[in-house]
Amino acid sequence: MTLPTVLCVAVTSVSWAADPPASSPAWAGTTDSASPQTSLAAVRSIIGADTGPAAALTGKGVGVALIDTGVAPVPGLPVTSVVNGPDLSFESQAAGLRYLDTYGHGTHLAGIIVGDDKESGAKGVAPGAKLTSVKIGTSNGAVDVSQMIAAIDWVVKHRNDDPGSPIRVINLSYGSGGNPPNWTDPLQYAVERAWQAGVMVIAAAGNNGNAAGKLTNPAADEWILAVGAAATNGTVSTADDSLATFTNLSNGGNQVDLLAPGTSIASLRDPGSNIDVAYPTARVGNTLFKGSGTSQATAVASAAAALLFQAKPSATPDQVKDWLIKGGTFLPNGKAATMGLLELNVNGALARTGSVVQKPTWNPSNGTGSLEAARGTSHVMLDNTALTGERTVWGAMATAQWAPKSAAQTSWSGGTWMGFRVAGDDWSGSSWASRTWAAANWAAPSWSSSTTWSDPAWSGRTWSGRTWSSGAWSGRTWSSDAWATAGWR
């Protein structure tokens, strides 16, 4: 069949209410429509966040960076809880779409982390945390690995811009199709630089199934926390929980570190967004939407990490990773039991905070590997021309020149990344959020024959009050895969 020309990014953690649209294979997921709803209150109970010492924690004073498809100004996301970092997506070149979630994925994850929806009563796992949204994905999920790398670099550079809520966690519900050597991969180098700077990176394992044979990149990196989804079966008891069948498992190298609830999670709906239009049966009331995948599980784990950092502000990513993994709940069913995969338990992690954690000795990446190898099968398209080779969205780049600058936190200077003007220079931007990084027009030519970044499909698409204007979502760009949602149902 002919693929429509749409801006699309691949995702590794969402499931769908029906077969995913051909325009967004990266965000595609499972179609288990029989899964019962898992409310955010149930999620909190399953992971033990509503009892014992954990019940007093909200994530206050902790920043979480959500590098995703942006967030929409729905009532369930308090303005004071959200900051908009730079929009590095293709849609940044359309003022009416800039910073906003046209897909619906980022808003769903934001709800899991910091949501507070008065109409439904749904509340995120860490409602007191400060969420910094860095948009890289479009209405159909289109994104390139170079945009992800630039976003991670920006977070590391600006992690302490808000001294009251410094960024301690990066949520990456993203995974490329690449299987590069981990000792040279630039994407793994970027997440390792963040980790060494004190920012814990939590990544989705992927939704290609237990037989996938490998985790998506960068979850395959041994340094960071790789999260798989637990099937919760509509109960708050962990006795019937099991490894979700869509979760990637590895035959070698890094394995899933931790499981978290990830099936039919009822979080914030983004009215009129791509997935909201495509999967109306996933709606729960007026304000919620059901989604399944390692993306959702990763958001739960990121929020839990924020609770740990609130309780132990001086903790390192290595310590929090160790506490979360070893403090988990044993699941007596199926592969989770035979493999020893534990499910997130916040109180179990808190109980281990007095334990000594040995610094890991994994071999690090040097970052000088190929961008094309990091992409693997995940190619973004513009006017049916794939972005390939040693080129970012904005132009050619040698990773051997980027890696030392990333390490020194000099790859960004104001709104330029590696010499490319990709955003404004400071926090002088305007949006619905409490604070916004400024935008800029992209002057660099595209990799296709096009002479402009603008897209006729962007015209007429506006956020009006509480919803996107009606109409089908389409555009000039799309990509094969990258995001980690198994389905919306």
Side-chain angles (χ1 to χ4, degrees), residues 220-456:
D221 191 306
E222 294 168 315
W223 287 91
I224 68 174
L225 184 71
V227 179
T232 56
N233 298 302
T235 73
V236 297
S237 170
T238 59
D240 62 353
D241 290 1
S242 61
L243 172 69
T245 56
F246 55 75
T247 296
N248 285 31
L249 294 178
S250 175
N251 293 334
N254 194 39
Q255 187 56 275
V256 169
D257 293 309
L258 184 69
L259 302 180
T263 53
S264 291
I265 306 297
S267 185
L268 296 179
R269 175 188 170 207
D270 183 0
S273 63
N274 195 345
I275 59 171
D276 185 60
V277 172
Y279 306 105
T281 58
R283 297 171 187 168
V284 180
N286 294 320
T287 60
L288 303 182
F289 201 79
K290 291 188 293 181
S292 299
T294 56
S295 283
Q296 281 71 19
T298 299
V300 174
S302 292
L307 303 183
L308 268 289
F309 279 117
Q310 178 191 5
K312 298 292 179 180
S314 63
T316 67
D318 290 328
Q319 288 175 311
V320 174
K321 176 181 178 180
D322 184 87
W323 298 337
L324 287 172
I325 294 173
K326 294 179 180 177
T329 300
F330 174 76
L331 300 184
N333 308 302
K335 290 184 178 180
T338 58
M339 296 177 65
L341 296 176
L342 305 184
E343 186 170 12
L344 174 63
N345 183 322
V346 179
N347 281 312
L350 288 170
R352 296 194 61 84
T353 56
S355 62
V356 176
V357 176
Q358 298 297 322
K359 189 171 181 61
T361 57
W362 307 116
N363 291 323
S365 172
N366 64 23
T368 62
S370 166
L371 281 173
E372 183 62 20
R375 289 186 187 103
T377 59
S378 304
H379 289 96
V380 66
M381 308 286 290
L382 177 63
D383 295 333
N384 294 320
T385 301
L387 172 56
T388 61
E390 303 315 295
R391 179 188 171 96
T392 72
V393 165
W394 307 283
M397 185 188 79
T399 56
Q401 296 178 356
W402 161 77
K405 292 184 178 181
S406 178
Q409 298 175 28
T410 58
S411 62
W412 277 89
S413 177
T416 63
W417 178 71
M418 294 302 295
F420 303 115
R421 169 61 69 178
V422 299
D425 287 326
D426 52 29
W427 291 101
S428 61
S430 176
S431 77
W432 67 276
S434 61
R435 199 179 188 198
T436 302
W437 191 268
N441 293 323
W442 294 353
S446 74
W447 67 90
S448 75
S449 59
S450 175
T451 59
T452 176
W453 289 105
S454 65
D455 188 334

Side-chain angles (χ1 to χ4, degrees), residues 43-238:
V43 169
R44 292 179 62 85
S45 294
I46 292 166
I47 66 171
D50 61 350
T51 60
L57 300 173
T58 64
K60 183 177 176 58
V62 179
V64 178
L66 178 64
I67 303 177
D68 213 275
T69 61
V71 292
V74 295
L77 284 179
V79 172
T80 55
S81 298
V82 180
V83 167
N84 275 325
D87 184 342
L88 304 180
S89 75
F90 296 103
E91 290 175 347
S92 68
Q93 301 307 287
L97 307 182
R98 191 174 294 147
Y99 309 112
L100 298 174
D101 182 11
T102 54
Y103 194 90
H105 187 266
T107 302
H108 199 261
L109 303 192
I112 293 172
I113 300 170
V114 299
D116 188 4
D117 183 46
K118 304 302 184 185
E119 180 172 333
S120 66
K123 183 170 288 190
V125 176
K130 180 66 68 69
L131 186 87
T132 297
S133 170
V134 182
K135 180 178 175 179
I136 61 170
T138 65
S139 65
N140 56 13
V143 67
D144 182 61
V145 70
S146 61
Q147 291 165 293
M148 175 59 74
I149 291 171
I152 296 168
D153 277 357
W154 184 90
V155 171
V156 174
K157 175 85 169 181
H158 295 279
R159 66 192 185 281
N160 294 320
D161 282 10
D162 181 356
S165 298
I167 296 173
R168 302 301 311 276
V169 180
I170 294 177
N171 185 101
L172 294 186
S173 293
Y174 162 95
S176 80
N179 189 28
N182 59 13
W183 55 91
T184 61
D185 179 46
L187 179 55
Q188 293 188 32
Y189 184 82
V191 297
E192 289 171 14
R193 292 306 94 205
W195 193 272
Q196 298 306 323
V199 182
M200 185 176 186
V201 181
I202 302 179
N207 298 326
N208 304 114
N210 295 170
K214 66 183 182 72
L215 307 188
T216 55
N217 194 19
D221 191 306
E222 294 168 315
W223 287 91
I224 68 174
L225 184 71
V227 179
T232 56
N233 298 302
T235 73
V236 297
S237 170
T238 59

